[in-house]
Amino acid sequence: MVDFNDNSHRRYNILTGEWVLVSPHRTKRPWQGKEENVVNEIRPSYDAECYLCPGNERAGGHINEDYTKPWSFVNDFAALKKDVPLAKFKSGLLKAESESGICKVVCFSPDHSLTLPVMRVEAIDDVITLWQKEFKNLSDKADINHIQIFENKGDLMGCSNPHPHGQIWAQRTIPQEVAKKNKQLREYWHNNHSSLLGDYIKEEQELKERIISENENFIALVPYWAVWPYEVMIAPKKQHRNILTLNTEERLDYARIIKAVTIKYDNLFKISFPYSSGIHQAPTDGQDWESWHFHMSFYPPLLRSATVKKFMVGYEMFATPQRDITAEMAAKTLRNLSDIHYSNL
């Protein structure tokens, strides 16, 4: 029997139908590559130069509302335009089609100095409530068939502004990553008459190897097929196709577990931990999508320390994703970290 904790092996991602190469023995190799500069700066509650702070002028010339709670606006430099005519092009092997949509910025707090792990649970709940409002308003539009809520946190993840914020991109077509999950979730539902993710969560609860935090309504774990070193997935224990059907207590538990996960991230290397996070939900194209079970994923780049990141290059770009620590190793490390933010210890 091969010891998967010390030998290379592949793991299957049930949500996408793809594989990841796991090479736990590689953590023993010395690192002489690039190391990042880490700046744990103390930011003010208000920055007159920040284009997301309340009352300030944005780069596009618009003036922000003097908001006191989470606030959203249409991105001044959106990747998608809403009134693009539907058009298709085909010439031989060349194909293209127009794409339309709406891009919004969601400011989590008026306080420039905050991040999710140091926000109050009630304040994170306010963010989720705004996500719900935006999801409902956007999904009611006839030409919106998918809504992606996400956050890029930190310079390492390409964040252009340190003010606590995320984005929402709503578009006419269904993106590739979601299309893969549509297929896997629907096939499993058809064959088993149950939720693929729901059944996976039950299995993880029995094994207790990769869970890092849970409460009555939500669970946070390192997926068996995780690609990023300290990747985490948050999911409701009860099957919800999207965030709109969460009741008040479920929404609060969602806020609590987001705070718990991001505190553990910050505590790992005693820094404001960078990541990209996103919520995958059922498409809004009018189909039933009874197979869907929404979930939130965190993809952080750091591997060995605050200064050494995981690069997706070479083999990962040309062959298949690869990771150097097992999901079990990562889960144990995160699970054993304090639930109190290091700045308060």
Side-chain angles (χ1 to χ4, degrees):
M1 178 73 177
V2 174
D3 181 2
F4 282 171
N5 283 314
D6 197 42
N7 288 282
S8 56
H9 60 280
R10 294 198 308 159
R11 296 194 182 192
Y12 182 68
N13 185 335
I14 60 171
L15 292 178
T16 64
E18 298 173 336
W19 292 83
V20 55
L21 175 64
V22 184
S23 312
H25 54 285
R26 275 169 55 89
T27 56
K28 300 172 185 176
R29 78 191 196 279
W31 179 260
Q32 293 182 312
K34 178 177 173 57
E35 297 199 12
E36 306 292 336
N37 293 321
V38 176
V39 179
N40 254 348
E41 61 176 340
I42 298 176
R43 301 199 307 272
S45 296
Y46 169 76
D47 183 350
E49 301 299 318
C50 171
Y51 57 80
L52 296 181
C53 277
N56 286 1
E57 181 178 348
R58 301 200 299 273
H62 300 284
I63 304 298
N64 294 333
E65 290 184 11
D66 194 18
Y67 61 98
T68 58
K69 282 194 167 187
W71 173 67
S72 62
F73 62 90
V74 176
N75 196 322
D76 299 324
F77 303 97
L80 296 164
K81 298 179 181 179
K82 67 177 181 177
D83 295 320
V84 179
L86 180 60
K88 295 187 177 183
F89 166 82
K90 188 176 188 307
S91 177
L93 296 176
L94 309 180
K95 290 202 303 184
E97 64 180 37
S98 58
E99 178 64 305
S100 59
I102 300 169
C103 295
K104 306 202 77 171
V105 176
V106 178
C107 296
F108 296 161
S109 170
D111 191 329
H112 184 80
S113 69
L114 297 181
T115 55
L116 288 175
V118 295
M119 288 170 60
R120 293 178 299 106
V121 167
E122 294 77 14
I124 299 174
D125 181 52
D126 287 338
V127 174
I128 298 170
T129 299
L130 181 54
W131 285 343
Q132 289 178 318
K133 178 183 176 182
E134 288 290 354
F135 189 94
K136 178 66 170 64
N137 290 342
L138 291 166
S139 65
D140 284 344
K141 298 181 182 300
D143 56 345
I144 296 298
N145 294 312
H146 179 262
I147 299 166
Q148 183 62 62
I149 298 171
F150 66 97
E151 178 195 6
N152 295 321
K153 177 174 179 261
D155 294 343
L156 282 182
M157 301 312 292
C159 182
S160 60
N161 188 304
H163 192 99
H165 75 285
Q167 298 184 57
I168 302 175
W169 290 16
Q171 63 193 100
R172 181 178 58 82
T173 62
I174 297 174
Q176 292 178 156
E177 287 303 304
V178 178
K180 294 175 195 172
K181 293 185 178 184
N182 284 347
K183 179 177 181 295
Q184 296 293 109
L185 291 166
R186 179 172 271 173
E187 285 183 0
Y188 188 88
W189 182 272
H190 176 76
N191 293 330
N192 300 277
H193 307 290
S194 60
S195 160
L196 171 60
L197 191 53
D199 288 352
Y200 169 68
I201 288 170
K202 291 174 186 174
E203 193 167 336
E204 289 286 17
Q205 286 177 304
E206 291 177 4
L207 295 171
K208 302 186 186 305
E209 291 183 296
R210 288 167 289 273
I211 297 173
I212 64 168
S213 183
E214 64 179 310
N215 53 41
E216 183 177 349
N217 293 297
F218 277 83
I219 190 167
L221 52 85
V222 178
Y224 181 74
W225 53 83
V227 171
W228 293 92
Y230 290 98
E231 180 177 329
V232 168
M233 179 172 68
I234 293 174
K237 294 177 180 178
K238 175 184 174 183
Q239 185 184 0
H240 288 273
R241 297 174 204 177
N242 58 53
I243 59 176
L244 290 183
T245 53
L246 296 176
N247 62 33
T248 301
E249 187 54 40
E250 288 171 325
R251 199 181 62 229
L252 276 167
D253 269 357
Y254 189 15
R256 292 180 183 112
I257 207 160
I258 287 174
K259 183 175 176 69
V261 167
T262 53
I263 282 176
K264 286 183 179 292
Y265 274 161
D266 278 14
N267 286 349
L268 182 59
F269 299 130
K270 301 293 190 296
I271 61 164
S272 184
F273 202 75
Y275 59 74
S276 279
S277 68
I279 308 172
H280 274 167
Q281 307 177 75
T284 58
D285 58 355
Q287 294 191 44
D288 187 20
W289 294 117
E290 59 186 353
S291 59
W292 255 91
H293 192 139
F294 95 77
H295 50 284
M296 182 179 194
S297 296
F298 290 78
Y299 299 155
L302 297 180
L303 172 58
R304 298 174 178 225
S305 70
T307 60
V308 178
K309 65 178 285 190
K310 165 70 176 179
F311 289 92
M312 290 292 184
V313 294
Y315 184 85
E316 291 94 342
M317 293 177 71
F318 295 102
T320 198
Q322 181 269 338
R323 63 180 285 124
D324 288 350
I325 58 174
T326 65
E328 297 74 41
M329 294 174 185
K332 182 179 179 181
T333 299
L334 291 173
R335 184 169 54 245
N336 291 338
L337 291 168
S338 174
D339 294 320
I340 302 172
H341 197 270
Y342 72 90
S343 64
N344 294 322
L345 292 174

PDB file of all heavy atoms in Angstrom, residues 247-258:
ATOM      1  N   ASN A 247     -31.490  31.679   5.680  1.00  0.00           N
ATOM      2  CA  ASN A 247     -32.273  32.447   6.646  1.00  0.00           C
ATOM      3  C   ASN A 247     -31.330  33.264   7.531  1.00  0.00           C
ATOM      4  O   ASN A 247     -30.106  33.215   7.372  1.00  0.00           O
ATOM      5  CB  ASN A 247     -33.193  31.540   7.469  1.00  0.00           C
ATOM      6  CG  ASN A 247     -32.430  30.515   8.314  1.00  0.00           C
ATOM      7  OD1 ASN A 247     -31.327  30.778   8.797  1.00  0.00           O
ATOM      8  ND2 ASN A 247     -33.033  29.340   8.487  1.00  0.00           N
ATOM      9  N   THR A 248     -31.882  34.004   8.470  1.00  0.00           N
ATOM     10  CA  THR A 248     -31.073  34.920   9.278  1.00  0.00           C
ATOM     11  C   THR A 248     -29.974  34.204  10.047  1.00  0.00           C
ATOM     12  O   THR A 248     -28.808  34.640  10.056  1.00  0.00           O
ATOM     13  CB  THR A 248     -31.971  35.686  10.270  1.00  0.00           C
ATOM     14  OG1 THR A 248     -32.956  36.424   9.535  1.00  0.00           O
ATOM     15  CG2 THR A 248     -31.155  36.662  11.107  1.00  0.00           C
ATOM     16  N   GLU A 249     -30.294  33.089  10.693  1.00  0.00           N
ATOM     17  CA  GLU A 249     -29.293  32.375  11.490  1.00  0.00           C
ATOM     18  C   GLU A 249     -28.246  31.706  10.588  1.00  0.00           C
ATOM     19  O   GLU A 249     -27.058  31.679  10.926  1.00  0.00           O
ATOM     20  CB  GLU A 249     -29.963  31.322  12.378  1.00  0.00           C
ATOM     21  CG  GLU A 249     -29.013  30.660  13.366  1.00  0.00           C
ATOM     22  CD  GLU A 249     -28.243  31.649  14.240  1.00  0.00           C
ATOM     23  OE1 GLU A 249     -28.831  32.652  14.690  1.00  0.00           O
ATOM     24  OE2 GLU A 249     -27.033  31.421  14.469  1.00  0.00           O
ATOM     25  N   GLU A 250     -28.675  31.181   9.453  1.00  0.00           N
ATOM     26  CA  GLU A 250     -27.722  30.584   8.503  1.00  0.00           C
ATOM     27  C   GLU A 250     -26.764  31.647   7.973  1.00  0.00           C
ATOM     28  O   GLU A 250     -25.559  31.396   7.833  1.00  0.00           O
ATOM     29  CB  GLU A 250     -28.475  29.926   7.352  1.00  0.00           C
ATOM     30  CG  GLU A 250     -29.186  28.638   7.737  1.00  0.00           C
ATOM     31  CD  GLU A 250     -30.088  28.117   6.645  1.00  0.00           C
ATOM     32  OE1 GLU A 250     -30.706  28.941   5.925  1.00  0.00           O
ATOM     33  OE2 GLU A 250     -30.190  26.886   6.502  1.00  0.00           O
ATOM     34  N   ARG A 251     -27.304  32.826   7.696  1.00  0.00           N
ATOM     35  CA  ARG A 251     -26.453  33.915   7.201  1.00  0.00           C
ATOM     36  C   ARG A 251     -25.434  34.325   8.254  1.00  0.00           C
ATOM     37  O   ARG A 251     -24.257  34.566   7.943  1.00  0.00           O
ATOM     38  CB  ARG A 251     -27.333  35.098   6.805  1.00  0.00           C
ATOM     39  CG  ARG A 251     -26.649  36.095   5.866  1.00  0.00           C
ATOM     40  CD  ARG A 251     -27.555  37.248   5.545  1.00  0.00           C
ATOM     41  NE  ARG A 251     -27.900  37.984   6.747  1.00  0.00           N
ATOM     42  CZ  ARG A 251     -29.145  38.324   7.087  1.00  0.00           C
ATOM     43  NH1 ARG A 251     -30.166  37.987   6.323  1.00  0.00           N
ATOM     44  NH2 ARG A 251     -29.374  38.991   8.213  1.00  0.00           N
ATOM     45  N   LEU A 252     -25.842  34.361   9.518  1.00  0.00           N
ATOM     46  CA  LEU A 252     -24.916  34.691  10.603  1.00  0.00           C
ATOM     47  C   LEU A 252     -23.843  33.615  10.757  1.00  0.00           C
ATOM     48  O   LEU A 252     -22.674  33.922  10.991  1.00  0.00           O
ATOM     49  CB  LEU A 252     -25.678  34.873  11.913  1.00  0.00           C
ATOM     50  CG  LEU A 252     -26.285  36.249  12.157  1.00  0.00           C
ATOM     51  CD1 LEU A 252     -27.262  36.199  13.328  1.00  0.00           C
ATOM     52  CD2 LEU A 252     -25.200  37.296  12.406  1.00  0.00           C
ATOM     53  N   ASP A 253     -24.228  32.354  10.617  1.00  0.00           N
ATOM     54  CA  ASP A 253     -23.243  31.270  10.687  1.00  0.00           C
ATOM     55  C   ASP A 253     -22.266  31.344   9.515  1.00  0.00           C
ATOM     56  O   ASP A 253     -21.086  30.990   9.646  1.00  0.00           O
ATOM     57  CB  ASP A 253     -23.947  29.913  10.705  1.00  0.00           C
ATOM     58  CG  ASP A 253     -24.238  29.429  12.121  1.00  0.00           C
ATOM     59  OD1 ASP A 253     -23.842  30.122  13.080  1.00  0.00           O
ATOM     60  OD2 ASP A 253     -24.857  28.351  12.265  1.00  0.00           O
ATOM     61  N   TYR A 254     -22.750  31.790   8.362  1.00  0.00           N
ATOM     62  CA  TYR A 254     -21.880  31.998   7.206  1.00  0.00           C
ATOM     63  C   TYR A 254     -20.861  33.087   7.539  1.00  0.00           C
ATOM     64  O   TYR A 254     -19.656  32.935   7.282  1.00  0.00           O
ATOM     65  CB  TYR A 254     -22.739  32.389   6.005  1.00  0.00           C
ATOM     66  CG  TYR A 254     -22.034  32.436   4.667  1.00  0.00           C
ATOM     67  CD1 TYR A 254     -20.780  31.849   4.463  1.00  0.00           C
ATOM     68  CD2 TYR A 254     -22.632  33.067   3.578  1.00  0.00           C
ATOM     69  CE1 TYR A 254     -20.158  31.895   3.214  1.00  0.00           C
ATOM     70  CE2 TYR A 254     -22.019  33.117   2.339  1.00  0.00           C
ATOM     71  CZ  TYR A 254     -20.791  32.533   2.164  1.00  0.00           C
ATOM     72  OH  TYR A 254     -20.171  32.581   0.931  1.00  0.00           O
ATOM     73  N   ALA A 255     -21.319  34.173   8.144  1.00  0.00           N
ATOM     74  CA  ALA A 255     -20.416  35.251   8.548  1.00  0.00           C
ATOM     75  C   ALA A 255     -19.402  34.756   9.578  1.00  0.00           C
ATOM     76  O   ALA A 255     -18.213  35.082   9.508  1.00  0.00           O
ATOM     77  CB  ALA A 255     -21.217  36.424   9.109  1.00  0.00           C
ATOM     78  N   ARG A 256     -19.873  33.961  10.536  1.00  0.00           N
ATOM     79  CA  ARG A 256     -18.983  33.443  11.579  1.00  0.00           C
ATOM     80  C   ARG A 256     -17.874  32.564  10.990  1.00  0.00           C
ATOM     81  O   ARG A 256     -16.714  32.644  11.415  1.00  0.00           O
ATOM     82  CB  ARG A 256     -19.802  32.636  12.599  1.00  0.00           C
ATOM     83  CG  ARG A 256     -20.754  33.475  13.444  1.00  0.00           C
ATOM     84  CD  ARG A 256     -21.519  32.624  14.432  1.00  0.00           C
ATOM     85  NE  ARG A 256     -22.485  33.421  15.187  1.00  0.00           N
ATOM     86  CZ  ARG A 256     -23.805  33.310  15.064  1.00  0.00           C
ATOM     87  NH1 ARG A 256     -24.346  32.411  14.227  1.00  0.00           N
ATOM     88  NH2 ARG A 256     -24.606  34.085  15.781  1.00  0.00           N
ATOM     89  N   ILE A 257     -18.225  31.740  10.017  1.00  0.00           N
ATOM     90  CA  ILE A 257     -17.209  30.818   9.501  1.00  0.00           C
ATOM     91  C   ILE A 257     -16.253  31.521   8.541  1.00  0.00           C
ATOM     92  O   ILE A 257     -15.082  31.162   8.444  1.00  0.00           O
ATOM     93  CB  ILE A 257     -17.863  29.563   8.872  1.00  0.00           C
ATOM     94  CG1 ILE A 257     -16.878  28.383   8.980  1.00  0.00           C
ATOM     95  CG2 ILE A 257     -18.300  29.801   7.425  1.00  0.00           C
ATOM     96  CD1 ILE A 257     -17.518  27.034   8.853  1.00  0.00           C
ATOM     97  N   ILE A 258     -16.721  32.556   7.837  1.00  0.00           N
ATOM     98  CA  ILE A 258     -15.803  33.372   7.023  1.00  0.00           C
ATOM     99  C   ILE A 258     -14.780  34.036   7.939  1.00  0.00           C
ATOM    100  O   ILE A 258     -13.578  34.051   7.642  1.00  0.00           O
ATOM    101  CB  ILE A 258     -16.585  34.440   6.219  1.00  0.00           C
ATOM    102  CG1 ILE A 258     -17.352  33.791   5.061  1.00  0.00           C
ATOM    103  CG2 ILE A 258     -15.621  35.505   5.670  1.00  0.00           C
ATOM    104  CD1 ILE A 258     -18.259  34.757   4.306  1.00  0.00           C
TER     105      ILE A 258
END
